[in-house]
Amino acid sequence: MTQASHHTGTGAAQTDRLLEMYRRMRRIRRFEERASDLYKATEIPGFLHLSIGQEASAVGACWPLGPRDGITSTHRGHGHVLAKGLDSASMMAELMGKEAGTCHGRGGSMHIADPGLGIYGANGIVGAGLPIAAGVATAAKLRAAGDVVVAFFGDGAVAQGMFHEAVNLAAVWDLPVVFLCENNHYSEFSPEAEQHRAPLSARAAGYGVEYQHVDGNDVLAVAQTMTGIVARLRAGGGPVLLEAETYRWHGHYEGDPERYRPAEEVAAAKERDPLLVARRQLDAAAADAVDEEIDKEIEAAIDWARSLPEPAPETLHDYVSAPRLPVPEPAPLPADAEIFRSMDAVRLALEHELTTDPSVFVAGIDVGAGGNVFGLTRGLAQAFPGRVRDTPISESAVVGTAVGAAMAGMKPVVEIMYMDFIGVCLDMLLNQAAKLRFMTGGRASMPLVVRTQFGAGRSSGSQHSQSLEAILAHIPGLTVVMPSNPADTYGLLRAAIQDPNPVVFVENRLQYGLKGPKPPADHLIPLGKAKVVREGTDITLVSWSRMVQDALAAAELLAGEGISVEVIDLRTISPLDRETVLASLAKTNRLVIAHEAVRDFGVGAELAAMAVDEGFWHLDAPVTRVAPPPVPAPYAPSLERVWLPSRDTIAETLRRIAAV
């Protein structure tokens, strides 16, 4: 339905183009009107945000786009996705929550997407589409195919940090993206004047990007402006900030009492109805025929959607994660293997995947020219020009770029310098990377890796020491990996990059210098599989990351006292390998868990709950956790030593449980 080859002209050709634009606007208008009716009749559940009055900006913006070009949208996104070519019938079914809907009833009104059509998602989080658009544009730039991306957003999103981060990153990287603000003069209930002091033109100047303004109610003007912008971007131009002034006729959401604006204001805005503006330049009979055609199309879509079943209850777990290819557990490494360090493992794994897979790229703060704050990526930027990219200090933009690029077919590996900084970009993990495959009914692919590191014990303080895996493991759709030695670091990182799911890969910086046997180049370790790293018969001791080394040391200490401890290295936190832990518990009848994260509400609590639920009849002693108390990581060494578990505190707990 898009018109990549058309240009503005005169006479009959212009009339034909305007009639087609009118058809598309009429499709959006009628779809929205009938959606409003169906919502009032309770045939559409959930939230509904309509774009009546804003049709011209959607149609005009998408007019010069081709099938490979991308868009990201907002919670008010029906018009954008219809203008980009999504069919009205599957959309109506999606709004009704039907299995045959665009996203199999998993997304609804705010989350419609079809990456196959270049539609990278409407989004329920204000501003979230902007970093994702930067990611889609990054993929386009790396492929050098001349594709462009349009990121739709409302004036309210300008107040979001994600707006700043995305526009700044796009400017620094010269990305082919149009940031299109549909300025309808209201941020939910608040008028524009109460939300911002600087106009978009001034903001654009601050970012060093081009700014243009257009009448968002004049579809020809929007199409003409966008045709020129898109042509420049295809030729290698950088980002543009386009402001289309328009107005929404309905409230922020259906059911909004609209006490914040006078009825006279809405009535005055309707005099600039985009459909009427276009109709004045068309033959009335031709426009009437289009109206009749579209009315029939939308009614047929409604009838079809009504006839469909909702998703079956047994499909509840579908689309949460992509199926994993089976990876066998590798053979033990030979005793005479070459020795290398965990920091070497990270660099070699990245180098291997960059070499073998052109869709892989690496991005993050100082990962390029600087070679990473710990020197882990030194030399990679020179070896892989353009594919190891420095970013601004913008964690949301970094992870959002990974989300967009992954949906566009790349395999990004991005770095968040410290695990503590996950909080800065949590939305991009919590609501985007983890959920988009599910909310799009499997349409969105999400093969991305977020590398980060943590580690207490060196007086790094409360904001640079935290082990936050429990937060991430609590998010369905995320895989969380925490290796404990150099060989596992190499094999798990390679497996994570090859995996079709979003993986947070957490290294412990105190282990970067840890030495161990170097595996062969093809070494892979299965995700989601724990490993028994020491056999035992009396107590099962479960740990992960650096604490595994303390656990092994404690087990060795107790072996001299006649207590046999079986040590399990989880390796992957989520999905949790319950089978390996329960099988060991069935053998030893005792379970101790040791971890570096604070004790309360942690992964240890989940393991304990599993033991007293599924393993209850095997237990001969209380399930016990060895972990820091619920106190932020202290700075003073005297306090940090008391706070952090060690070989000796683990051994003391093991003795106590063995005596029960």
Side-chain angles (χ1 to χ4, degrees):
M1 288 177 63
T2 52
Q3 300 284 326
S5 61
H6 286 296
H7 302 280
T8 303
T10 57
Q14 170 110 335
T15 300
D16 289 345
R17 284 194 292 276
L18 181 57
L19 188 64
E20 177 56 30
M21 292 178 190
Y22 178 80
R23 175 179 285 106
R24 298 180 190 189
M25 290 195 295
R26 178 65 186 175
R27 177 177 290 113
I28 296 168
R29 173 69 58 85
R30 194 61 187 147
F31 184 96
E32 299 285 61
E33 289 173 343
R34 293 295 284 124
S36 178
D37 297 337
L38 293 166
Y39 182 82
K40 290 169 186 169
T42 70
E43 290 190 67
I44 290 178
F47 300 115
L48 194 67
H49 307 80
L50 302 182
S51 61
I52 294 174
Q54 301 182 188
E55 296 86 355
S57 55
V59 170
C62 292
W63 185 258
L65 303 183
R68 287 205 320 258
D69 297 317
I71 67 167
T72 61
S73 182
T74 71
H75 57 275
R76 200 178 310 285
H78 303 161
H80 308 142
V81 298
L82 284 168
K84 187 60 171 68
L86 199 58
D87 70 286
S88 55
S90 70
M91 272 186 64
M92 192 63 76
E94 183 63 28
L95 265 60
M96 290 185 180
K98 301 303 181 74
E99 175 63 39
T102 309
C103 302
H104 299 295
R106 269 69 172 182
S109 171
M110 289 191 287
H111 308 116
I112 292 174
D114 187 349
L117 293 174
I119 299 167
Y120 293 95
N123 211 298
I125 308 299
V126 173
L130 302 174
I132 293 172
V136 179
T138 299
K141 182 159 187 169
L142 288 172
R143 293 190 180 114
D147 303 334
V148 304
V149 184
V150 178
F152 290 99
F153 64 101
D155 49 286
V158 176
Q160 283 279 1
M162 287 184 284
F163 166 83
H164 160 74
E165 292 192 23
V167 176
N168 186 59
L169 177 71
V172 170
W173 282 4
D174 288 316
L175 296 178
V177 57
V178 183
F179 294 103
L180 198 157
C181 177
E182 293 179 299
N183 187 353
N184 62 26
H185 303 286
Y186 281 91
S187 303
E188 298 195 0
F189 300 170
S190 301
E192 179 187 19
E194 295 179 5
Q195 296 285 301
H196 315 287
R197 288 293 179 264
L200 274 178
S201 55
R203 293 176 186 273
Y207 295 116
V209 301
E210 179 185 344
Y211 169 83
Q212 290 198 42
H213 180 277
V214 69
D215 179 357
N217 286 355
D218 184 339
V219 70
L220 280 175
V222 178
Q224 183 173 10
T225 300
M226 278 293 293
T227 298
I229 291 172
V230 167
R232 288 198 297 283
L233 264 59
R234 293 201 199 286
V240 175
L241 188 54
L242 175 62
E243 183 174 14
E245 280 202 70
T246 183
Y247 195 87
R248 59 170 162 83
W249 293 10
H250 283 221
H252 169 60
Y253 57 88
E254 290 302 281
D256 175 359
E258 294 189 70
R259 297 190 181 97
Y260 49 88
R261 61 182 183 180
E264 311 87 76
E265 180 183 300
V266 179
K270 289 183 178 181
E271 294 177 10
R272 286 285 296 160
D273 180 350
L275 275 71
L276 290 179
V277 171
R279 245 185 179 275
R280 292 184 191 119
Q281 302 174 64
L282 292 170
D283 175 73
D288 288 345
V290 167
D291 291 353
E292 186 178 349
E293 168 199 335
I294 294 299
D295 287 354
K296 289 178 180 176
E297 175 192 319
I298 300 302
E299 291 310 310
I302 293 169
D303 290 343
W304 178 73
R306 277 175 172 154
S307 71
L308 300 170
E310 294 180 341
E314 58 268 24
T315 66
L316 172 64
H317 296 274
D318 291 0
Y319 311 117
V320 176
S321 297
R324 283 199 163 101
L325 292 174
V327 173
E329 185 71 35
L333 299 177
D336 60 349
E338 180 185 347
I339 300 299
F340 79 151
R341 302 167 298 177
S342 289
M343 62 189 302
D344 304 321
V346 173
R347 182 180 55 79
L348 289 170
L350 292 173
E351 183 178 57
H352 189 287
E353 295 307 305
L354 283 162
T355 300
T356 57
D357 190 341
S359 67
V360 174
F361 73 91
V362 175
I365 300 159
D366 294 327
V367 301
N372 167 276
V373 68
F374 300 104
L376 304 180
T377 57
R378 199 165 290 153
L380 292 181
Q382 294 74 28
F384 302 94
R387 293 174 60 204
V388 181
R389 307 174 71 87
D390 283 321
T391 69
I393 302 176
S394 303
E395 284 83 2
S396 288
V398 169
V399 181
T401 294
V403 171
M407 279 200 285
M410 305 297 282
K411 291 182 181 175
V413 183
V414 297
E415 178 181 301
I416 298 300
M417 192 179 289
Y418 283 78
M419 194 180 192
D420 313 71
F421 305 166
I422 287 289
V424 180
C425 58
L426 187 58
D427 175 73
M428 283 294 150
L429 289 168
L430 169 69
N431 286 316
Q432 311 303 327
K435 292 184 172 66
L436 280 172
R437 186 176 196 276
F438 179 79
M439 292 192 304
T440 62
R443 287 181 182 266
S445 60
M446 203 56 62
L448 66 87
V449 175
V450 177
R451 279 189 51 253
T452 190
Q453 55 78 29
F454 78 109
R458 296 285 174 85
S459 291
S460 298
S462 299
Q463 294 179 347
H464 285 73
S465 303
Q466 297 170 90
S467 187
L468 301 173
E469 65 271 19
I471 293 174
L472 300 172
H474 191 69
I475 302 171
L478 283 186
T479 295
V480 183
V481 178
M482 299 181 74
S484 68
N485 61 69
D488 282 6
T489 299
Y490 178 84
L492 287 167
L493 182 52
R494 285 195 59 229
I497 296 170
Q498 294 178 20
D499 197 71
N501 297 293
V503 180
V504 182
F505 191 89
V506 187
E507 302 144 17
N508 189 299
R509 67 177 172 275
L510 273 64
Q511 288 196 306
Y512 282 144
L514 180 68
K515 295 179 180 178
K518 182 180 179 181
D522 63 354
H523 188 68
L524 282 174
I525 290 178
L527 301 181
K529 296 293 182 183
K531 184 178 182 182
V532 176
V533 292
R534 181 186 176 107
E535 298 276 354
T537 56
D538 296 331
I539 303 175
T540 296
L541 174 57
V542 180
S543 192
W544 53 94
S545 191
R546 186 175 69 92
M547 198 63 71
V548 170
Q549 305 303 327
D550 290 323
L552 287 168
E556 182 66 24
L557 195 64
L558 265 71
E561 303 171 16
I563 300 171
S564 176
V565 178
E566 180 151 295
V567 180
I568 295 176
D569 180 357
L570 281 186
R571 303 192 298 194
T572 300
I573 308 304
S574 178
L576 184 62
D577 183 354
R578 300 168 185 274
E579 291 77 13
T580 296
V581 176
L582 289 169
S584 179
L585 176 60
K587 177 170 65 170
T588 68
N589 308 117
R590 287 170 169 79
L591 178 62
V592 173
I593 305 134
H595 56 73
E596 194 167 318
V598 294
R599 181 189 63 237
D600 294 19
F601 308 102
V603 177
E606 178 63 28
L607 287 163
M610 179 186 75
V612 299
D613 180 4
E614 299 169 60
F616 179 79
W617 298 110
H618 298 301
L619 287 171
D620 288 342
V623 179
T624 308
R625 293 167 289 166
V626 186
V631 173
Y635 169 75
S638 61
L639 297 177
E640 192 174 36
R641 281 193 296 271
V642 175
W643 179 83
L644 190 64
S646 65
R647 178 199 71 168
D648 292 336
T649 53
I650 295 171
E652 182 183 329
T653 302
L654 290 169
R655 291 187 191 101
R656 178 167 59 85
I657 295 303
V660 173

